[in-house]
Amino acid sequence: PSGHPDGWHSHPAYKRALLEILDRACAIEYPPPAEMRGRAIVIAASAKSGRSSGKNLEHGHFPGAWATIKELRRLGCNLPICLSYLGFEEFDPALERLVEPLGVSTFNLRWLDWHGDSMRILAGWETKIFAIQNCIYEEVLFLDGDNIPVRDPTYLFDDPAYRAHGAMFWPDLPPNSRAEWLPKEVWDSIGMHKQPEYIDFESGQLLINKRVCWK
């Protein structure tokens, strides 16, 4: 980067190169795993202490995930629940034994990353998509560890709009249009005109049919 002239990222040739890379990537066919089946709730829940969204979390997101799981079961939700984590610094066998009686399985995303199914970046936010991709279930309701439903969410899997499109997303908190997050240059770089109105969606919960939406 030190050898690039000022303004290189907005140069037309650079944008054309980005679009060519994007088009080539979109043309690749990635067959979905043959073994996907059933429905589940997936939660990424590190128990490692640290800061997140401006908060000091002594036990990571596990207390929130624990409350979410207990409330889901209290509300009568019988869906399988998968807890994902990044290595044993985030979760340990004692916690696995704690959640197992609640019908909760766990899987170590770091183990998957070590064994060839790697991500270029695999940290907090990236675990969401990696967990959805790599769980054995075909239909996934992803919930953040601090996202507690107020009713059994199983009915969402039968929503007509979800059945028609294979995915369901929720809007983020207002303001729903953050121009500073997606300036005109971002739209230009992917070959699209800037939309006058668009709505951010919140990734704390999302519902997806992986077979329908795999690509």
Side-chain angles (χ1 to χ4, degrees):
S2 60
H4 289 39
D6 291 341
W8 63 270
H9 54 277
S10 59
H11 193 282
Y14 173 73
K15 292 183 179 181
R16 284 196 301 272
L18 276 183
L19 288 173
E20 289 176 8
I21 293 170
L22 184 61
D23 288 341
R24 287 199 299 269
C26 290
I28 298 172
E29 293 294 334
Y30 298 96
E35 299 300 317
M36 291 190 300
R37 63 186 183 276
R39 301 168 169 177
I41 293 171
V42 172
I43 300 172
S46 167
K48 182 180 178 182
S49 63
R51 286 184 61 81
S52 177
S53 301
K55 296 171 290 203
N56 285 312
L57 303 176
E58 184 180 357
H59 302 289
H61 290 287
F62 180 72
W66 174 260
T68 297
I69 293 164
K70 293 284 283 186
E71 188 65 5
L72 283 166
R73 295 307 188 220
R74 189 188 72 82
L75 292 169
C77 178
N78 295 314
L79 290 168
I81 299 174
C82 295
L83 281 183
S84 68
Y85 59 93
L86 279 175
F88 292 113
E89 68 273 18
E90 289 195 354
F91 221 72
D92 63 36
L95 293 177
E96 291 181 350
R97 291 192 296 270
L98 185 66
V99 299
E100 187 178 10
L102 295 170
V104 177
S105 60
T106 61
F107 62 117
N108 183 353
L109 298 177
R110 191 67 74 195
W111 187 90
L112 293 169
D113 198 44
W114 287 329
H115 286 75
D117 195 7
S118 61
M119 292 272 284
R120 184 176 63 87
I121 299 173
L122 187 54
W125 286 309
E126 292 81 16
T127 61
K128 297 185 182 190
I129 188 64
F130 202 52
I132 292 169
Q133 284 179 322
N134 286 284
C135 74
I136 63 172
Y137 296 96
E138 181 173 337
E139 296 182 83
V140 172
L141 173 62
F142 179 87
L143 296 177
D144 270 355
D146 56 358
N147 190 331
I148 302 178
V150 295
R151 61 176 292 193
D152 179 359
T154 306
Y155 75 98
L156 294 171
F157 289 89
D158 298 313
D159 181 87
Y162 165 69
R163 303 308 302 171
H165 299 287
M168 180 184 291
F169 304 102
W170 282 258
D172 205 346
L173 295 172
N176 292 319
S177 177
R178 294 175 174 84
E180 70 276 12
W181 285 14
L182 290 175
K184 182 177 182 299
E185 290 76 15
V186 173
W187 298 91
D188 290 346
S189 295
I190 57 171
M192 296 178 67
H193 295 294
K194 186 177 185 304
Q195 304 300 305
E197 289 187 12
Y198 58 91
I199 296 178
D200 302 340
F201 70 77
E202 155 65 16
S203 66
Q205 67 280 328
L206 59 91
L207 178 63
I208 192 161
N209 183 315
K210 288 158 55 176
R211 197 171 300 279
V212 172
C213 299
W214 186 253
K215 185 171 183 178

